[in-house]
Amino acid sequence: MRLGILEMLGLGATLIFAIPVGIFGVQLLTDGQTVFGGGMLLLAVLMVALPKYLTTPQDIPMIAAEKVIGGVAKDPDEDE
C-alpha cells in the first residue's frame, strides 16, 4: 500500500497527537491503572487507524476521480 504526499502529511499530523496519548496510556498501565491506560492506548490506535479505513465526505470526490481516471487510462501490462 503506497501513500501519496498528502496522505503521508496527514498521517504525520495524526501521529503528532497519537504518540503522546499512547505514551500516556503506557505510563498509566505501568502505574497499575489498567482500564484507563488501556483506554488511552486504544484511543491512540483508533486515532491512526480510523482515518485510513473510514470514508469521509472529503474523500468522495477523490474516489470518483480515481474511478474515472482508472476507466479511461489503464496501466500497461508487464508483457507490453
Side-chain angles (χ1 to χ4, degrees), residues 4 6-7 51-52 54-70:
L6 294 177
E7 292 163 339
K52 185 65 182 163
L54 289 180
T55 302
T56 61
Q58 292 88 8
D59 295 336
I60 293 173
M62 185 174 61
I63 292 170
E66 286 176 355
K67 286 185 179 181
V68 169
I69 292 171

Side-chain angles (χ1 to χ4, degrees), residues 16-41:
I16 288 173
F17 294 104
I19 289 173
V21 173
I23 291 172
F24 181 61
V26 169
Q27 287 178 345
L28 289 175
L29 282 174
T30 58
D31 289 342
Q33 297 180 0
T34 57
V35 174
F36 194 57
M40 289 289 116
L41 281 176

Side-chain angles (χ1 to χ4, degrees), residues 21-22 25 36-48:
V21 173
F36 194 57
M40 289 289 116
L41 281 176
L42 179 65
L43 178 63
V45 169
L46 288 177
M47 287 172 70
V48 175

